[in-house]
Each structure stands twice: as C-alpha cells, then as structure tokens.
Amino acid sequence: MKVFIVAGEPSGDRLGGALMAGLKTLRPDVRFEGIGGSDMAAEGLHSRFDMSELSVMGIAEILPKYRALMARINETAEAVIAAKPDVMITIDSPDFSLRVAKRVKARSNIRTVHYVAPTVWAWRPGRAKKMARYIDHVLALFPFEPPLMQAEGMDCDFVGHPVVAEPVATDAQALAFRTDAGIGDAPLLMVLPGSRRSEVAKLAGVFGDAVAQFAKGVPDLRVVIPAAGPVADAVIETCRDWAVAPVILDPRGMSREEAQARKLAAFRAADLALAASGTVSLELAAAATPMVIAYRMHWLSFRLIKAMALIDTVTLVNLVSDTRVVPEFLGPDCEADKIAGGLDAVYRAPDAQKGAMALTMERLGQGGEAPGLRAARAVLGRMGMVSEDG
C-alpha cells in the first residue's frame, strides 16, 4: 500500500506521525512519500522539502510568499500524480493542502483524505461545499464536525484529538520541577508566546508588560516559559528585559524525551498560564492548568477574520465545552492592562475553569483508542482495507 502524506506545520507533523504509526500497525506493508517534519521522519518519511516553508499564518502574512507557495503547490501535486498512491492524505494547512488536492483531483482519480476538518463552524461555511469537489474523506478532531462535512457529501469520521493521547505529568514530577528550578511554593505563571518567530516577535513584548502589571499584585510571582526549539533563541532575546525574569526551558541540547518530560512537568506545576491562541489551550486543559488566551495579528488579517467569524470565542476549551470560562484578549484587546486583569481574575478563582477543562478532554476522546490509530482505522475502513475491529 502506498500513501502520499503532506503536513505543513508542527501540529500537522505530530498528527501525521501518529497516523503513520497507526497505518503501520494495521498495514505493515504501507509505504510513504510526501512532506513532513521530525515526527513523520521518525516513522519513515523522507520529506520532499523543508516543511517550514509552508508555516505561514494570516491573510496579510501569506501575500509576500504567495509565489513561492504556489510553486510548491504545483510541485507537490505533480509529485502525487506521478507517485500514483492508493490514497493522498493532507493534514491541516488548508491554504496549501486543499490547493494540492484540487490539482490532484483535476487530473486523477486518486483518493483524497484531509485530516482536520476546516473550521466551517467558525468562519467561511462555504468551504465545506467547495472542498467536497476534491476531498473524498475528512478526519475530524472535534465531535460536532462530521455532520457538517457529511451534509456536503464527504465521508467524515471523528477520530479524537491527539491531545488526549499525550502523557500528563504527575504531581510528584511537578513538585520535582519546582524544586529543581528553585521555585518552591511560590505562585508560578507559565507564559507561552507561540511556536513561530512571528508570534514571539508580536507577543513577547505585550506579554512581558502584562506579567509586570500582574506581578504587582503577586509580589513573589515566578514565571516559566517552555520555548519551542526553533524559537528558543528569539524567546531568550525578547524576554531578556522582563521585569520578572522568566525561567526559560530551552530544549536545545536535550533529548526529545527529556525536553518533553520537563515541559509537561512545568505545565503541571504552573498555577496558571498566559498563552497565545491555538491548540496549546487543549494542552493546558489536559494538565488542568487554568489559562488566559491572547493573540495579536496583522490588523488587516484580524479585521477580515472578525468580519467573517461565526463564533464569539476562538479558544478551543470554550468551544468544545460550550462555555466561555477562559478569558481571551484578541487583536486590539491584546493589551497589557487587559491581559493583566484577566490573569488576576483567573488567579483569584483557579477552579472556575476546572469543569470545562475536564469536559473538553472527555468530549475529545480521553480514555478511548489513541487518535492516530483511530484515524488510520478510519482511512483504511473507508477504503475497505481493514475491518472496524482492525
């Protein structure tokens, strides 16, 4: 069995790696071609080019790289058609992935699967109908998504969110982290300014100012920042002059397992978190760490997205739990004084988010089959290559 698989950013790479592992479990004869990162490479993929070329967010941010992205889209589509796989699986990154799928379908009958349903429940609902012209099957992360895809004629399976399969640190590991970092019993704020350089550049300053204001009411506050490897140097540089000097967890020079264990221990040890908008809210929910979400983007991207939005929150914990307990400060509201006020409110009532976080994990498949294996079973099952029982 031959699979052409494409991911365009770190979160997609993690999904792809787990899916590839699941496919190998169910179909040991599977072979892979495509584009991905380190997780997918660990499962045997030799990426056709560096996945980081595709990690672009925001409408205004994409424009300067449009020509290069189009060249990669055409190149990838040609590679898929030449490879003649049994199935092509694209993972998230819709601006890239769906354009590839459209070109592939226009010139072949190759089966197309897209992993991560487009957020038609949030904005641009017409995308589902449009993508149904060239996508056969959708793998959904959220339980409310399949009916939206099926209504447009696509197969769609809820396969669970990968966060439910991630390990969570124990209280003992959290205590050990506090001891090793010299934090002791002091209040601990985790700050997560994003995994892209552009995010760190936009958020580190306002996050630092917010922390400084929040610390005035919590004089013994300590701060920890788990930095992603590709942006660790940027985090160290931009946070150098913060009023509250952070403990920066730099994963460079450590084994992947060691860095991940330390990060998870920090998640568990933190009393609350300030994070950039994104899937990190689910990681915090898994660790039962209350949070405040904030994000800045180009003013044009923000205004266009806001004008088309169908929802009143972007925080996944709020959406999945159908609550609004996690405060968020987006676009023009991403200001230090507002964020500091949000942090103070969460710090004074840390249990207010507890129920919503637990419900979120339950609805995303916690306690069931690992999402990667579940996704693989869905792909093969729709193709008649494996029974539902595996």
Side-chain angles (χ1 to χ4, degrees), residues 158-245:
F158 166 60
V159 298
H161 196 285
V163 71
V164 303
E166 294 293 325
V168 176
T170 64
D171 289 339
Q173 290 169 325
L175 179 60
F177 171 81
R178 280 177 165 270
T179 300
D180 293 343
I183 295 167
D185 295 329
L188 180 60
L189 169 66
M190 172 177 285
V191 178
L192 298 144
S195 59
R196 297 178 178 85
R197 287 183 177 275
S198 60
E199 291 175 328
V200 173
K202 291 175 183 175
L203 296 175
V206 68
F207 278 17
D209 291 343
V211 169
Q213 292 190 35
F214 174 56
K216 292 177 182 178
V218 188
D220 53 347
L221 181 71
R222 300 294 303 276
V223 176
V224 60
I225 304 178
V231 298
D233 57 343
V235 170
I236 292 169
E237 178 61 29
T238 56
C239 300
R240 190 185 305 277
D241 297 325
W242 279 21
V244 180

Side-chain angles (χ1 to χ4, degrees), residues 210-385:
V211 169
Q213 292 190 35
F214 174 56
K216 292 177 182 178
V218 188
D220 53 347
L221 181 71
R222 300 294 303 276
V223 176
V224 60
I225 304 178
V231 298
D233 57 343
V235 170
I236 292 169
E237 178 61 29
T238 56
C239 300
R240 190 185 305 277
D241 297 325
W242 279 21
V244 180
V247 175
I248 298 176
L249 306 185
D250 185 348
R252 295 173 298 180
M254 304 176 67
S255 71
R256 181 175 178 176
E257 293 74 18
E258 184 181 4
Q260 180 69 358
R262 187 175 64 163
K263 173 185 171 181
L264 293 174
F267 268 65
R268 187 72 170 181
D271 294 296
L272 76 165
L274 168 60
S277 176
T279 56
V280 70
S281 70
L282 299 180
E283 296 180 68
L284 291 167
T289 304
M291 70 199 82
V292 170
I293 299 298
Y295 201 80
R296 271 183 176 171
M297 63 178 69
H298 191 281
W299 69 269
L300 177 60
S301 296
F302 178 80
R303 291 198 177 278
L304 289 173
I305 291 172
K306 185 175 177 61
M308 293 184 283
L310 304 176
I311 53 176
D312 62 350
T313 178
V314 301
T315 302
L316 292 170
V317 171
N318 287 343
L319 289 166
V320 176
S321 66
D322 196 23
T323 67
R324 298 296 182 266
V325 296
V326 176
E328 56 187 23
F329 302 93
L330 311 175
D333 288 329
C334 186
E335 297 180 353
D337 57 340
K338 294 180 180 180
I339 296 170
L343 287 170
D344 186 70
V346 171
Y347 181 64
R348 304 302 171 188
D351 292 335
Q353 298 178 18
K354 185 176 181 180
M357 292 190 290
L359 180 59
T360 296
M361 292 299 104
E362 177 186 336
R363 288 181 173 175
L364 293 183
Q366 192 172 59
E369 187 173 57
L373 182 59
R374 191 168 171 176
R377 197 182 306 283
V379 169
L380 296 174
R382 295 284 185 177
M383 297 173 68
M385 290 188 173

